Amino acid sequence: MPDWARLPLAIAAGLLMALGQAPWDLWLLALAGLAGAMALYAAQPGPRRAALVGWGVGFGYFGLALNWITEPFQVDAAVTAWMAPFALILMAAGLALFWTLAFWVGAQARRAPLLGLVVAWAAAELARAYVLTGFPWGLVGYVWEKTPAIQWVAVLGPHGLTLATLALAALAAGAVRGAALRRWRGAALQAALTAGGLVAALAGGQAMIPPLQALEGQPVVRLIQPNAPQTQKWDRAWMQFFFERQVEFTAAPSHGSLPRPDLIVWPETAVPTLLHNAEEALAVISEAAFPARVVLGIQRLEDEAFYNSLALVGQGAEVLQVYDKHHLVPFGEYMPLKPLFRRLNFSGLAARAEGGYSAGPGPQLVDLGAGLGRALPLICYEAVFPQDVNGYAERPDLLLQITNDAWFGEASGPYQHLAQARIRAIEQGLPLLRAANTGVSAVIDGAGRVLVSLPLGEAGHLDALLPPPLRVTPYSRTGDLPALALLLLLGAALAVWGRRV
């Protein structure tokens, strides 16, 4: 293969892989792109050229899958729009370095280069979830999100499913390469294993889907979606309008034959004032919600530190519990390396002062009251991290996400965020309530079924019966340790095997 063709083909394979993510959900094309990336890697004569292929695949993949990253820079376009293309290019190029290293390491396994790549690539995706606070958005295993095979995350976890997905693609690439070299017997065997693996993934996932639960007698929840565009959300001319819209939705009659809600959920930063100044606003909200409790997003100030918080409000505007977001968005909610960026006069998109928000102490459960149980709160970005959702010793009764996806625009970002929230529900076997400022708000059961939802870009509210918890999943007990242990074992086996060449 000529050197000039190597990088464009790698980027094309990455672009094809990205089509497996929401909102495109073209999982068969994505698997073809993944197999193509594997085949392109296998055709390279050495680690350096393999690393270049890895970077190209990653650049194409992240460049398309994360195209929404430009949207926050359009909110104050006159000041920050110029940063958008640089943000996307640097983000894609930087994340691609994880895959560059994986392809280089994989190529060291000369006796089994495809197996080496499978292990190294899966390890790189695991590292991406943790290194520098982590960014596990768009993991390779999420290609199955719209298929029954996504149920395997309840057993294998997202990284175990990524490892299995890469192994399946390696078999397909091996079959293609074997056919190209006219090694028909080996090619036929690998093609059969690929087909068998695909059937096992889909059929096994389908068999794991539990039947719909009976919901009679369950508490009623209401999700509020004000649909406040980010350009207007903090505009003083519009803040009162969106607040009153949420109050109106809170006080509205129940849908159909359902009784008044037991719980009402507002989205992230839904109240346009700080918590210590919100007595009047909370009184209006609690009166409109009577007799229900309200969960809402609000900012608060304590000891000169700002927090992005969730508050549980009871009758009489009593604040029953507060949770502070602990996994913050770099450059969006806080500034890493503050002294350096202060000298460069660069404040990013951080919401408050020079350093943005402060991080809360960590995950905690919120007791919603009798019948509703205890919820694990997730504020926006926190639903992206399987290890955070899996990190609490006591099992909650539900997951509760409040978010403001207006930052992500209306193309791919909100749908990918919803998809990852749905995967968290499957991993834990727990229902998830999702109240999003601009959508998609949804009630999701422990099998990942979206039972009812409000579409993107629509103002409204929905009432639904709260699904009970499903089974305790293997992943909720073990977390990422089995996937890590298997990767270490495979890596050690490859290293020992390689020394015997």
Side-chain angles (χ1 to χ4, degrees), residues 147-171:
T147 76
I150 196 61
Q151 297 294 325
W152 284 102
V153 295
V155 178
L156 306 175
H159 301 295
L161 183 58
T162 290
L163 177 61
T165 304
L166 292 168
L168 187 64
L171 285 171

Side-chain angles (χ1 to χ4, degrees), residues 90-362:
L90 290 174
M91 188 77 163
L95 290 174
L97 294 177
F98 282 95
W99 293 10
T100 304
L101 180 60
F103 277 57
W104 183 85
V105 171
Q108 308 300 318
R110 296 181 181 178
R111 296 184 70 175
L114 280 173
L115 179 58
L117 178 59
V118 168
V119 175
W121 201 344
E125 287 291 85
L126 180 61
R128 184 160 68 89
Y130 288 90
V131 172
L132 298 176
T133 77
F135 188 68
W137 193 291
L139 293 173
V140 169
Y142 293 169
V143 68
W144 304 103
E145 190 262 331
K146 285 297 185 182
T147 76
I150 196 61
Q151 297 294 325
W152 284 102
V153 295
V155 178
L156 306 175
H159 301 295
L161 183 58
T162 290
L163 177 61
T165 304
L166 292 168
L168 187 64
L171 285 171
V176 171
R177 184 161 175 77
L181 296 175
R182 298 187 179 183
R183 297 170 182 169
W184 304 115
R185 183 176 299 178
L189 176 60
Q190 292 189 81
L193 290 173
T194 301
L198 185 60
V199 170
L202 296 171
Q206 184 66 45
M208 282 189 277
I209 300 176
L212 281 167
Q213 298 162 289
L215 301 181
E216 290 80 4
Q218 285 293 109
V220 178
V221 296
R222 172 173 294 180
L223 305 182
I224 305 297
Q225 184 170 299
N227 194 35
Q230 197 60 37
T231 53
Q232 298 175 347
K233 182 174 172 63
W234 300 112
D235 187 331
R236 292 186 179 276
W238 285 96
M239 285 192 296
Q240 187 64 24
F241 171 81
F242 290 119
F243 176 76
E244 291 175 356
R245 172 181 280 181
Q246 292 173 108
V247 172
E248 177 187 347
F249 291 159
T250 298
S254 299
H255 288 216
S257 60
L258 293 176
R260 283 288 297 169
D262 300 284
L263 178 72
I264 298 172
V265 185
W266 288 29
E268 180 186 14
T269 57
V271 181
T273 187
L274 294 171
L275 182 59
H276 69 274
N277 291 328
E279 295 89 349
E280 183 178 343
L282 296 183
V284 171
I285 294 168
S286 63
E287 181 179 355
F290 184 84
R293 292 179 171 184
V294 180
V295 166
L296 50 81
I298 192 168
Q299 298 170 98
R300 72 182 195 92
L301 174 65
E302 181 179 335
D303 297 331
E304 300 184 355
F306 288 95
Y307 296 90
N308 185 359
S309 304
L310 173 151
L312 174 65
V313 180
Q315 287 306 300
E318 181 183 5
V319 178
L320 302 173
Q321 195 169 346
V322 174
Y323 163 73
D324 297 321
K325 184 176 182 180
H326 72 278
H327 208 141
L328 302 176
V329 182
F331 300 101
E333 292 179 309
Y334 77 98
M335 289 298 298
L337 303 173
K338 284 188 289 185
L340 171 63
F341 286 107
R342 189 186 299 121
R343 293 187 65 180
L344 296 175
N345 195 30
F346 178 73
S347 61
L349 299 171
R352 290 278 186 180
E354 293 178 343
Y357 292 116
S358 296

